[in-house]
């Protein structure tokens, strides 16, 4: 299907764009009353993720309401461990919790390399429903978690400030860690390829817990597996977003991907120098900016756009939008990106 708005895809590929495309991580979610209305009618988060028609509905909401340049399929990175046999629960106001963790060889024996069509068919169906409903208005982004981040949750059993169990495993049983990472990577590649087949126009890999690893461990236990995923997904552009991995930006320049996401702690000019001219950068406004005044949002957004320049940039926050953010402030950020970047002569 021909896209009516293909700015995101062209920017990712490094093609000239008339203005900077903009979307937000976690744009489909609690900032929107329309999302909360759907969510409150259900038993919980997982029911929403696993019901394709409803997942498609909330995926499209920010396109209608916020006027972003892309939709991102409403799902969760933790559907992958679930598909592999390591189930999770989403505890209200606390986040994900795994009743059974993976810390020994016996635990690992319970896992399987998932078949995306058999074990993740609800996500693929949600993509198909969403694509049909979008009717080419904007691209649809598919995604998965990076293998290290998925392992961190499976070993730790929940979110954590330290992920000490997961990080400890890399020292005490690196063989087991690599075996688990191998299974996660194989599952993830098959899953992402199935997302593309279902209609995803771009893929993003989220390494949410990249920044908690020392550089040597990151280069052993995360980077090679992300590289494998990038090499395998050659049908559509790929974005790698590794939060906190400022030490690996030069390594990312060698990945077979189109876009590198920056978090809000990463200096734009330094990051561009490290990544080089041949990748598109995505980001990287501090989500807390959106708590400030409309005037401050406009000023800081323009300042960010000037630093990135008009080409090879996808505007976004440096992490997901926070749930208590005023949607009108989000609209201000999006509108400022559009109006200012459109006014720049290339």
């Amino acid at each position: 299907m021909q896209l009516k708005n293909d700015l995101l895809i062209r920017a990712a590929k490094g093609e000239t764009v008339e203005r900077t495309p903009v979307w937000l991580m976690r744009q489909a979610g609690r900032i929107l009353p329309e999302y909360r209305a759907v969510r409150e009618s259900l038993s919980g988060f997982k029911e929403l993720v696993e019901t394709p028609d409803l997942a498609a509905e909330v995926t499209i909401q920010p396109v209608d309401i916020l006027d972003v340049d892309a939709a991102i399929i409403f799902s969760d990175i933790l559907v992958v461990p679930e598909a592999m046999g390591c189930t999770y629960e989403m505890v209200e106001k606390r986040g994900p919790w795994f009743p059974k963790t993976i810390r020994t060889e016996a635990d690992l024996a319970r896992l399987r390399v998932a078949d995306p069509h058999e074990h993740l068919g609800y996500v693929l169906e949600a993509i198909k429903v969403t694509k049909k409903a979008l009717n080419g208005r904007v691209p649809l982004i598919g995604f998965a978690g990076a293998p290290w981040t998925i392992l961190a949750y499976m070993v730790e059993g929940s979110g954590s400030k330290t992920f000490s169990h997961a990080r400890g495993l890399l020292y005490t049983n690196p063989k087991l860690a690599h075996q688990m990472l191998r299974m996660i990577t194989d599952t993830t590649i098959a899953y992402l390829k199935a997302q593309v087949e279902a209609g995803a126009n771009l893929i993003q890999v989220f390494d949410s817990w990249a920044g908690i690893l020392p550089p040597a461990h990151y280069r052993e236990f995360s980077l090679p597996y992300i590289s494998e995923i990038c090499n395998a997904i050659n049908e559509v552009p790929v974005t790698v977003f590794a939060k906190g991995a400022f030490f690996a930006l030069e390594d990312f320049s060698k990945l077979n991907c189109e876009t590198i996401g920056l978090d809000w702690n990463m200096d734009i000019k330094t990051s561009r120098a490290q990544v080089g001219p041949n990748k598109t950068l995505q980001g990287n406004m501090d989500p807390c900016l959106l708590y400030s005044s409309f005037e401050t949002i406009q000023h800081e957004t323009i300042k960010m756009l000037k630093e990135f320049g008009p080409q090879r940039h996808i505007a976004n926050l440096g992490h997901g939008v926070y749930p208590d953010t005023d949607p009108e402030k989000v609209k201000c950020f999006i509108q400022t990106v559009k109006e200012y970047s459109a006014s720049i002569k290339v």
Side-chain angles (χ1 to χ4, degrees), residues 74-86:
F74 187 83
S75 186
D76 197 277
I77 64 171
L78 300 182
V79 300
V80 164
E82 175 117 313
M84 293 176 68
C86 186

Side-chain angles (χ1 to χ4, degrees), residues 133-289:
L134 280 173
N135 194 30
R137 286 167 61 196
V138 294
L140 178 62
I141 302 167
F143 71 91
W148 152 249
T149 286
I150 300 302
L151 177 146
Y153 279 111
M154 293 168 81
V155 174
E156 203 71 28
S158 65
S160 166
K161 289 182 179 178
T162 63
F163 280 92
S164 55
H165 292 293
R167 287 167 52 217
L169 182 73
L170 307 186
Y171 290 102
T172 60
N173 199 340
K175 181 181 176 185
L176 178 65
H178 279 299
Q179 288 174 326
M180 198 186 316
L181 289 164
R182 175 78 270 140
M183 294 178 73
I184 296 168
T185 301
D186 290 346
T187 296
T188 302
I189 288 171
Y191 175 46
L192 289 175
K193 281 192 163 291
Q195 287 189 42
V196 173
E197 188 181 331
N201 300 104
L202 184 144
I203 291 296
Q204 178 153 317
V205 178
F206 287 87
D207 205 356
S208 306
W209 300 114
I212 65 172
L213 289 180
H217 267 179
Y218 192 73
R219 291 184 177 106
E220 179 180 351
F221 294 100
S222 186
L223 202 57
Y225 297 100
I226 291 176
S227 182
E228 271 194 58
I229 293 168
C230 291
N231 289 339
I233 309 300
N234 48 28
E235 304 91 343
V236 298
V238 176
T239 298
V240 174
F241 175 64
K243 187 174 180 292
F246 61 91
F247 52 81
L249 284 171
E250 203 170 316
D251 298 292
F252 292 153
S253 71
K254 302 177 182 71
L255 290 175
N256 189 16
C257 68
E258 283 72 20
T259 302
I260 303 297
L262 306 182
D263 68 50
W264 74 90
N265 288 313
M266 294 175 178
D267 179 76
I268 295 167
K269 287 191 170 77
T270 304
S271 300
R272 172 53 78 193
Q274 291 176 302
V275 170
N278 299 319
K279 302 281 187 203
T280 295
L281 297 179
Q282 178 175 278
N284 69 331
M285 187 58 73
D286 184 347
C288 285
L289 171 74

Side-chain angles (χ1 to χ4, degrees), residues 24 36 46 63 75 92 100-101 121 124 128 131 143 152 160 239 290 302 326-328:
L24 280 74
R36 292 197 295 272
K46 287 183 75 173
V63 179
S75 186
E92 194 67 31
K100 293 183 178 179
T101 55
L124 306 181
K128 291 174 185 175
K131 283 286 286 190
F143 71 91
S160 166
T239 298
L290 301 182
I302 290 170
D326 179 353
E328 293 305 313

Side-chain angles (χ1 to χ4, degrees), residues 18-20 22 298 301-302 305 331-344:
E18 307 84 68
R19 66 165 175 84
T20 303
V22 56
Q298 289 171 339
T301 301
I302 290 170
L305 291 169
K331 290 178 186 177
C332 177
F333 171 74
I334 292 165
Q335 200 58 35
T336 303
V337 170
K338 290 184 173 185
E339 289 177 2
Y340 178 78
S341 64
S343 73
I344 303 300

Side-chain angles (χ1 to χ4, degrees), residues 27-42 44-45 48-49 54 57-59 61-62 65 74:
Q27 63 188 16
R30 287 177 287 175
I31 62 164
L32 298 177
E34 294 83 353
Y35 166 85
R36 292 197 295 272
V38 174
R39 172 76 170 73
E40 286 161 11
S41 70
L42 304 172
F45 173 82
L48 179 49
V49 167
L54 294 178
E57 181 182 343
V58 297
T59 296
Q61 282 175 350
I65 300 162
F74 187 83

